[in-house]
Amino acid sequence: MFHLLFVYGTLMSGFSANVFLSDNHFVGYGVLYGARLLHLEDGYPAVIDGNGKVFGELYQVDTLTLKAIDFFEDFFEDLPERSLYIRTIKPVRLLPYGDFVDAWVYLLNPCFIENKAYVEVPGGNWRDFLKKLLML
């Protein structure tokens, strides 16, 4: 079985965790609306519900890959309250065509946000944010 997965951080092409997706099909770029992108003090991003948009990549993945990424993202399907991220289905707009598709997205578990220091990523693009951050 195949799934669509929207990624917005270290799982994107060019970043270290993209190795999880190396044997999977890159579908294209996308935008997640109704979300805010955060850069956590730990050095990686997180998405929470909000009134912004987040840019990322869409991949077609198999179930085994999805389960491996669950482990990487500290998502426990049977124990969501103990999960750092919650995997949920959200509508994602494909670029540049504009069609919406339903894709899995990892959102930061709301109970962890109060324990994390973060800055909001202006524009919702983590790759652009890091480029600017590293040029300071």
Side-chain angles (χ1 to χ4, degrees):
M1 179 173 191
F2 289 98
H3 312 269
L4 283 178
L5 175 65
F6 177 76
V7 298
Y8 52 83
T10 61
L11 287 163
M12 289 191 300
S13 61
F15 291 99
S16 60
N18 186 256
V19 68
F20 284 102
L21 299 168
S22 62
D23 292 332
N24 292 271
H25 176 69
F26 174 72
V27 174
Y29 298 98
V31 180
L32 172 67
Y33 293 96
R36 292 172 47 209
L37 181 61
L38 311 177
H39 178 76
L40 304 177
E41 66 182 336
D42 304 318
Y44 54 85
V47 167
I48 60 173
D49 288 328
N51 59 359
K53 58 187 172 185
V54 176
F55 292 88
E57 300 173 351
L58 278 159
Y59 288 85
Q60 184 180 43
V61 301
D62 58 31
T63 301
L64 187 60
T65 299
L66 196 61
K67 294 299 180 188
I69 295 172
D70 283 350
F71 182 77
F72 174 73
E73 297 287 8
D74 288 333
F75 169 65
F76 310 105
E77 201 165 2
D78 296 333
L79 296 168
E81 68 280 357
R82 296 189 54 206
S83 299
L84 179 59
Y85 287 89
I86 304 294
R87 179 168 44 89
T88 188
I89 294 278
K90 294 280 189 179
V92 175
R93 187 176 199 169
L94 283 169
L95 297 176
Y97 309 110
D99 295 333
F100 279 88
V101 296
D102 288 332
W104 288 112
V105 180
Y106 291 92
L107 302 179
L108 185 65
N109 189 336
C111 70
F112 286 100
I113 191 67
E114 61 193 40
N115 299 329
K116 296 276 186 189
Y118 63 86
V119 294
E120 189 158 352
V121 175
N125 187 317
W126 196 61
R127 187 183 307 274
D128 287 350
F129 172 79
L130 285 182
K131 285 178 186 175
K132 290 175 185 168
L133 183 69
L134 296 174
M135 291 175 68
L136 292 177

